[in-house]
Amino acid sequence: GENVEQHPSTLSVQEGDSAVIKCTYSDSASNYFPWYKQELGKGPQLIIDIRSNVGEKKDQRIAVTLNKTAKHFSLHITETQPEDSAVYFCAPRGFQKLVFGTGTRLLVSP
Amino acid sequence: NAGVTQTPKFQVLKTGQSMTLQCAQDMNHEYMSWYRQDPGMGLRLIHYSVGAGITDQGEVPNGYNVSRSTTEDFPLRLLSAAPSQTSVYFCASSYSIARTEAFFGQGTRLTVV
């Protein structure tokens, strides 16, 4: 965790396109790499996570890839749908306080 | 299961007033934390707790106090409200400090006038 950045801060795609959000972190002790989705007026909710002994994990249209050497991991959403429109946060974690990335606003246009 | 419950959902305060935002979880989670989220911004950590009787500061602790007398409850106190504290506040909990999913409450929208 500690210094956590996300790119891009805003992402606009057409329905059916793919979206990729990247998260970089500074703490080499991080070993848990989740992504959260926050819909309007709600609290964030976990959508996918990966642990440091795995390089990639997939769950239907979403996937997370991890490059621990370079200290970054990415969220991939394929075949985007309007209901994917939300703010996405990463929160890499080791044995310390829970700090979130800067957030990415994804807008999927029909 | 109720999960993480925050009360109230909305609150308007006058400058200088004090109040307590309540947070309770029924999952026997050790780790709890408070965040504020300003418009168009991310989640900034205010205070956190790794267990009953243990609290620590996050990124933006000034103007807020917390205590953790039980595993279930983690109230956030605003000592003397200021307009700069107008924000949406989220409480979160997780099983432990390490490598586990965080569960969030629905948030408290606070306006200080």
Side-chain angles (χ1 to χ4, degrees):
Chain A
E2 295 309 324
N3 291 335
V4 182
E5 292 187 1
Q6 285 180 233
H7 295 280
S9 56
T10 306
L11 181 59
S12 294
V13 300
Q14 292 289 320
E15 184 177 358
D17 288 349
S18 295
V20 181
I21 304 169
K22 184 176 180 179
C23 178
T24 59
Y25 59 95
S26 62
D27 187 356
S28 56
S30 297
N31 53 13
Y32 174 62
F33 306 94
W35 284 96
Y36 291 82
K37 177 183 181 182
Q38 185 179 26
E39 297 177 338
L40 199 61
K42 297 184 178 179
Q45 194 166 12
L46 179 76
I47 55 170
I48 195 166
D49 58 10
I50 195 170
R51 300 189 187 275
S52 60
N53 58 341
V54 178
E56 181 175 353
K57 182 178 178 180
K58 218 173 174 183
D59 182 4
Q60 298 183 347
R61 294 187 299 108
I62 60 173
V64 54
T65 58
L66 171 65
N67 185 329
K68 215 174 173 213
T69 303
K71 293 184 191 171
H72 66 75
F73 63 112
S74 297
L75 175 68
H76 305 255
I77 305 175
T78 58
E79 301 172 32
T80 53
Q81 301 169 3
E83 51 265 37
D84 294 328
S85 295
V87 179
Y88 292 82
F89 292 98
C90 63
R93 199 170 186 189
F95 291 88
Q96 79 282 56
K97 58 194 175 188
L98 179 58
V99 175
F100 287 80
T102 45
T104 297
R105 183 174 300 277
L106 174 65
L107 179 61
V108 181
S109 302
Chain B
N1 282 347
V4 180
T5 303
Q6 286 185 239
T7 56
K9 288 188 177 154
F10 302 93
Q11 182 71 49
V12 178
L13 286 180
K14 292 182 179 178
T15 298
Q17 285 185 317
S18 62
M19 79 158 294
T20 299
L21 279 62
Q22 301 291 345
C23 176
Q25 52 89 10
D26 62 357
M27 298 172 282
N28 200 31
H29 284 173
E30 290 295 324
Y31 183 90
M32 296 185 74
S33 49
W34 276 102
Y35 301 84
R36 61 176 289 172
Q37 186 172 38
D38 300 318
M41 293 189 69
L43 297 155
R44 291 188 291 169
L45 180 65
I46 305 172
H47 286 286
Y48 66 100
S49 168
V50 299
I54 306 169
T55 63
D56 206 346
Q57 295 181 350
E59 305 165 82
V60 288
N62 293 342
Y64 307 95
N65 273 359
V66 291
S67 59
R68 185 96 180 270
S69 56
T70 67
T71 299
E72 294 78 19
D73 300 299
F74 190 43
L76 178 72
R77 296 184 189 84
L78 278 70
L79 308 174
S80 177
S84 60
Q85 293 179 305
T86 293
S87 189
V88 180
Y89 291 84
F90 287 100
C91 177
S93 75
S94 61
Y95 179 73
S96 75
I97 194 171
R99 304 184 300 153
T100 55
E101 176 183 359
F103 294 83
F104 282 80
Q106 290 194 325
T108 296
R109 184 174 295 276
L110 175 68
T111 303
V112 182
V113 297

